[in-house]
Amino acid sequence: PCAPSNLTVDVDCRTNYARLSWDYTKFAVEYFGHAASMDGETLSCDSSKTSCTLGTLQCGHTYNFTVKAFDGICNSSISLPLHEGAAPCPPSRLNVRMQRIKQMYWAMISWDKVNCSNIEYLAEIKGQIGNNSQTLMKVSSYWLLRPYFELPMPCSTAFTVAVFSRNSGGVSKSSRIFSGITEPCAPQRVKYSGNTSQVLLSWDASVFATMYTVYNVSGGSYVKLCNTTGLSCQLTNFNPAATKVTASNAVGESNPSQNITGPVSARRRRDLQPTQLNAYEGENLETPEVLAVTVSGGSMYVRWRMVKGATEYELIIEEEQKAGQTTQLPRVRNIDGDFYTETDLKPVTTYCVRVAAKDGFNQSNYSWPACRKTGAL
């Protein structure tokens, strides 16, 4: 028979058994597999099928794999050799925690060591800054002997972490993937309306924020004035120079907002709540026109007219609150197209959506809320 062709090998890093496979050879009734390391170690297997298992390989060693066919009378010549190594397993345990160091949060990544000789490790971090598919990051460490790596992370970022190991046998597969988020960025466009004796202070939603806090910072100490899941607070005896706003989530608290502008004239409709008030002056971008809002089951489909000069659109989806019900955090989404579908909505619940256009520097007013009620399960 002819020599077998198209050899492939899959090494199980936990058992260090190798499954060797090849294409069928005409007239063959049996095959003989063989593996030889650079150190003179040899392993063999035989099978009447087009695969067999070789064991046990040494982690970190490299091998030449070959197969020959037998037709009951003659052996074929040996196949072209396949050169592969017994790569180590990835780390079995991966731990990631966020830690604040001065003004930044760092991802502190650690993992278990792999039981094999001469191991190096590489940590790979991928993320979406602002949870936006248009602002991607991908960072990796150099190959490390130590089982940990530390990296400063951007605020309001959804990220994943994976770790690889390697030695002379090759690079491992990925470890399990860790998914997480960072602390929210500081609230932007903090503005107030009214006079200093009584004002409505408002700000843009910060991605991944679950709470906003307003502080008075006069005298060098932070005195809490307001805690809210919404996007505004009513304040008395207001001093814009001594007021800061932060956003927070389970990871931690953002740096404080830098500038507060005002007073602004707020164009307010009678059916809007204070948390729905966002008034801007001097914007160049037009307000998007919402063309369609439909619900189906637990999903809401939104489509809007694209605005000239806009590079993305921000959607705020809010659950209508009922008396006695805990206030739910608005859902904030950044989209680069002209439509979006939000899923995992509660049944028989009214949701309102607003859309604003953004160009990287400016943001338009939000559209008037368009509200729809989801159906029953």
Side-chain angles (χ1 to χ4, degrees):
C2 293
S5 59
N6 294 330
L7 272 64
T8 60
V9 65
D10 183 24
V11 181
D12 186 330
C13 68
R14 294 168 298 175
T15 63
N16 280 328
Y17 276 55
R19 180 178 176 84
L20 184 62
S21 304
W22 54 87
D23 286 351
Y24 168 75
T25 299
K26 191 175 181 180
F27 303 126
V29 295
E30 193 170 8
Y31 301 90
F32 300 97
H34 185 76
S37 73
M38 302 298 103
D39 298 330
E41 174 193 2
T42 60
L43 301 165
S44 299
C45 63
D46 63 272
S47 174
S48 60
K49 300 179 180 179
T50 57
S51 66
C52 67
T53 300
L54 294 156
T56 304
L57 281 65
Q58 297 298 312
C59 177
H61 289 197
T62 55
Y63 296 82
N64 279 327
F65 294 91
T66 57
V67 180
K68 61 183 177 181
F70 177 64
D71 65 2
I73 301 174
C74 298
N75 286 324
S76 72
S77 57
I78 296 173
S79 66
L80 293 173
L82 173 64
H83 187 70
E84 290 286 347
C89 286
S92 59
R93 184 190 65 86
L94 173 61
N95 181 60
V96 181
R97 63 183 178 87
M98 300 300 297
Q99 178 175 320
R100 183 164 192 149
I101 302 176
K102 295 184 178 179
Q103 299 302 309
M104 294 196 69
Y105 279 83
W106 289 61
M108 317 298 282
I109 307 165
S110 61
W111 53 87
D112 284 347
K113 288 187 174 182
V114 174
N115 185 21
C116 192
S117 61
N118 302 317
I119 294 292
E120 296 179 309
Y121 305 95
L122 181 139
E124 182 179 82
I125 302 95
K126 298 179 181 178
Q128 293 188 171
I129 301 173
N131 201 29
N132 186 341
S133 61
Q134 297 299 303
T135 50
L136 304 179
M137 61 174 283
K138 180 179 179 181
V139 182
S140 64
S141 68
Y142 39 85
W143 286 99
L144 305 162
L145 295 176
R146 65 177 189 262
Y148 62 89
F149 182 66
E150 301 163 354
L151 180 76
M153 295 289 289
C155 56
S156 290
T157 296
F159 67 93
T160 61
V161 178
V163 178
F164 302 83
S165 61
R166 76 171 183 183
N167 61 12
S168 56
V171 178
S172 75
K173 296 177 181 178
S174 169
S175 69
R176 73 173 182 89
I177 305 297
F178 177 92
S179 299
I181 61 173
T182 63
E183 88 288 359
C185 292
Q188 300 297 307
R189 301 177 186 272
V190 183
K191 299 188 178 185
Y192 70 92
S193 58
N195 53 52
T196 54
S197 61
Q198 184 170 4
V199 303
L200 178 67
L201 187 67
S202 61
W203 51 86
D204 281 0
S206 188
V207 176
F208 297 136
T210 57
M211 182 68 67
Y212 299 93
T213 306
V214 181
Y215 294 98
N216 182 293
V217 296
S218 60
S221 61
Y222 276 59
V223 177
K224 191 180 296 184
L225 301 178
C226 172
N227 247 11
T228 180
T229 58
L231 301 176
S232 65
C233 273
Q234 295 276 359
L235 301 174
T236 58
N237 300 321
F238 176 68
N239 179 2
T243 303
K244 299 290 184 182
V245 185
T246 65
S248 57
N249 59 17
V251 175
E253 190 171 21
S254 73
N255 292 324
S257 59
Q258 294 302 309
N259 297 304
I260 297 178
T261 59
V264 297
S265 57
R267 294 172 297 186
R268 187 176 183 185
R269 220 171 66 179
R270 285 178 297 175
D271 60 340
L272 294 184
Q273 300 299 316
T275 56
Q276 295 175 302
L277 178 60
N278 273 282
Y280 306 116
E281 290 185 337
E283 302 292 355
N284 296 321
L285 294 172
E286 295 181 3
T287 302
E289 178 187 355
V290 177
L291 300 176
V293 180
T294 58
V295 294
S296 176
S299 300
M300 172 185 280
Y301 170 81
V302 186
R303 186 167 61 89
W304 56 89
R305 194 183 307 280
M306 299 187 77
V307 172
K308 183 179 180 180
T311 56
E312 64 177 348
Y313 299 86
E314 183 170 281
L315 277 70
I316 294 184
I317 302 169
E318 295 176 293
E319 179 182 333
E320 187 178 73
Q321 303 304 308
K322 299 177 182 178
Q325 185 180 21
T326 303
T327 301
Q328 299 297 311
L329 189 73
R331 305 185 186 201
V332 182
R333 304 290 184 260
N334 288 291
I335 311 299
D336 62 347
D338 62 351
F339 66 92
Y340 176 72
T341 300
E342 179 73 10
T343 57
D344 298 325
L345 300 178
K346 297 178 183 177
V348 197
T349 303
T350 299
Y351 289 87
C352 297
V353 60
R354 295 177 290 148
V355 185
K358 303 169 75 173
D359 64 3
F361 299 98
N362 299 308
Q363 177 174 317
S364 74
N365 290 324
Y366 285 99
S367 61
W368 291 122
C371 302
R372 299 291 185 274
K373 190 173 184 178
T374 58
L377 289 177

